[in-house]
Amino acid sequence: MAFTAFSRPAIVAFAALVITGCTVEGLGESERVVAPILTTEQAFDEFTYARPTEARVTHVALDLALDFEAMKVEGTATLDIQAAEGATEIVLDSNGLVIGGVTDGNGNALDFTIGEADAENAEKGEPITVQLGELTGPELQQIVITYASGPEAAALQWLDPEQTEGGEHPFVFSQGQAILNRTWIPTQDSPGIRQTWEARITAPEPLTVVMSGISRGDPETVDGAEGLRVFEFVMDNSVPPYLVAIAAGNIEFAELGPRSGVWAEPEMIAAAEQELGDTEELIDAGIDLFGEYRWGRYDMIILPPAFPYGGMENPVMTFLTPTFIAGDRSNNGLVAHELAHSWSGNLTTYASWRDGWLNEGVTSYIENRITEAVYGELRAEQEYTLSYASLVEAVEEAGTDAPTTAMRTPAGTSPFDTVGPAIYDKGTVFLRTVENIVGREEFDAWLTQWFDSHAFQPVTSEMLLADMRANLIGDNAELEEALMLDEWVYGTGIPANALAPDPEAFADADAAAAAYAADGTLPDTDSWGEWTAASQRRFLETLPDELGDEQLAALNDTLGLSESGNNEVLFLWLEAAMRNSYDPAVPQAEEFLARVGRNKFVAPLFRAMWGTGAWGQPKASALYATTRGGYHSYTRGNVDEIVGYQAQGE
Ligand code: BES
Ligand code: ZN
């Protein structure tokens, strides 16, 4: 496809319309703003088949039934589209969707073809090309696709009752980011093609359905179909399609405050409510720092432990792993992070996966600012120190010149690989550095302005840098030089002006680590118990790589590591134990890996076992044979690589 770099204005004119009086039933008089499509080179997304400047989707209306027996969703997607003058077809993304037919809004059949999958890039799926016939011109038109998700739909994880806390009912959740929603929704699945949406979902009783949209009220029972209920949702803000999300299970709701609440299985709800007791304060902190919260509600759902991520920022319904619950709110940086995406990522969104840092790096920075406001300076500085250390380690490992250490990632990088320290941690350190140089007040005002002026729009690295230059730096040449903006975003390694963390932040853990390294002295049990979870992590992260059985036994006896209620701490213990072939920890590691599917824990534990060779490889293979089926496709893909798993007959 010919893709030319336009000079400004790079916004396609026909897209900047306000569409009123929608034809979709139920939306009444609501107004939907159609977001622009960027056409600059940086905005180009190589992981979509869509050609949005010719014809684009503006709104998706889903009417789907959840089929737990067949493990599929089935129904229709009605797409509102806009086609440029002369366009004859619209191209959508699919990955394994089973298409029954396509019609226009009046039920007249439209011709369509399902193209070949890109042989070089299987995760991209295949294009669905629909012939528009009469449906051209700037007027909104509709196409209706009758379809079902395919058997391997990677976005959807269908859980057996045994994988839930209650053990009695099945559960399903979706994970759209990065390019997985094309396995259950036929639309243009690219972060730069924002869409509003609504959904009508039929599910069997007693399951409750939640989505990343506002609920339209209590579910209704279906006439003539006993045991089925219909749930309706709407998202009137345009969002990147990866943010459409669904979960259904035996869940209940606990209110946390006027804007917020949490869904969880009944067995988890009390612990969830307790852990999330600071939510309203976190939201207020975000608003104080970076402006209006534009999504209405902020609810969360605690998913079963098979969820492959710590959290996912689905609008109005953050998805969370239960493994963050520690009893003392010490892992609530995760909540601050997903909430922070309400500004960076969900409001302003990277147009291309190559600008991962615009979502994740900016969010990690805001996460830290919210943490500081709610949990204090020490905790925030400690978490910043952990980020900085992870960046330094990643750069040491990859090499200062490694292209993977640039914040704007190289072309061809898988959208699933835009999650490393070069994006999260380098992004945080970059923005902290800028904040430190220009001053907090100026910086906050600038960032608030950035969100305001690009609300509900796609963005690129060069747009952010241009905005910084226009609104923060002006003609101050000295400041321009001091900031080293281009080196941060496009360069590799860590620029010379990086703001180092305060060495005092981990005075306790670092002194203890030095004492341990010098003569094996361990921190005493009482003071360890008083440390922050971050200090405990710091100590464990600075332990020598190689530890003998006696050392591991002493560490565990004194510090009670295997009994830690904080899964981040427990994970570091298990990783150290597996890395050093420590037999007594094997049963606990096996139990953990059989229960938890969070990639951040699972992949490194398998890597640690595998890395020991003869000790760990047979154990890892045997264990993986039993746990693999319970993992999400993302975690599975990563562990498959670590253990060289060859699927039988796949
Ligand atoms: N949006 C990410 C998860 C993601 C990124 C999924 C890229 C697919 C592709 C989410 O907000 C995230 O960053 N989660 C982290 C949270 C942590 C950094 C606090 C996680 O799951 O560990
Ligand atoms: Zn994130």
Coordinates of all heavy atoms in Angstrom, one line a residue, residues 313 337-338 341 360 363 424, ligand 2:
E313 N -5.9 -1.9 31.2 CA -6.6 -0.6 31.4 C -7.9 -0.5 30.6 O -8.2 0.6 30.1 CB -5.7 0.5 31.0 CG -5.3 0.6 29.5 CD -4.1 -0.2 29.1 OE1 -3.8 -1.2 29.8 OE2 -3.4 0.1 28.1
H337 N -1.3 2.4 38.0 CA -0.9 2.3 36.6 C -2.1 2.2 35.7 O -2.2 2.9 34.7 CB 0.0 1.1 36.5 CG 0.5 0.8 35.1 ND1 1.8 1.3 34.7 CD2 -0.1 0.2 34.0 CE1 1.9 1.0 33.4 NE2 0.8 0.3 33.0
E338 N -3.0 1.3 36.0 CA -4.1 1.1 35.1 C -5.0 2.3 35.1 O -5.5 2.7 34.0 CB -4.9 -0.2 35.4 CG -4.1 -1.5 35.5 CD -3.1 -1.7 34.3 OE1 -3.4 -1.2 33.2 OE2 -2.1 -2.4 34.4
H341 N -3.7 5.1 32.8 CA -4.0 4.9 31.4 C -5.3 5.7 31.0 O -5.5 5.9 29.8 CB -4.2 3.4 31.1 CG -2.9 2.7 30.8 ND1 -2.1 3.1 29.7 CD2 -2.3 1.6 31.3 CE1 -1.0 2.2 29.7 NE2 -1.2 1.3 30.6
E360 N 2.7 3.3 27.5 CA 3.2 2.6 28.7 C 4.2 3.4 29.5 O 4.3 3.4 30.7 CB 3.8 1.3 28.4 CG 2.7 0.3 27.8 CD 1.5 0.0 28.7 OE1 1.6 0.3 29.9 OE2 0.5 -0.4 28.2
T363 N 2.4 6.4 31.1 CA 1.6 5.8 32.2 C 2.4 5.5 33.4 O 2.0 5.7 34.5 CB 0.8 4.6 31.7 OG1 -0.1 5.0 30.7 CG2 0.1 3.9 32.8
Y424 N 8.7 1.0 29.3 CA 8.1 1.4 30.6 C 9.1 2.2 31.4 O 8.8 3.3 31.9 CB 7.7 0.2 31.4 CG 6.5 -0.6 31.0 CD1 6.4 -1.2 29.7 CD2 5.3 -0.6 31.7 CE1 5.3 -1.9 29.3 CE2 4.2 -1.3 31.3 CZ 4.2 -1.9 30.1 OH 3.1 -2.6 29.7
Ligands
ZN2 ZN 0.2 -0.2 31.1

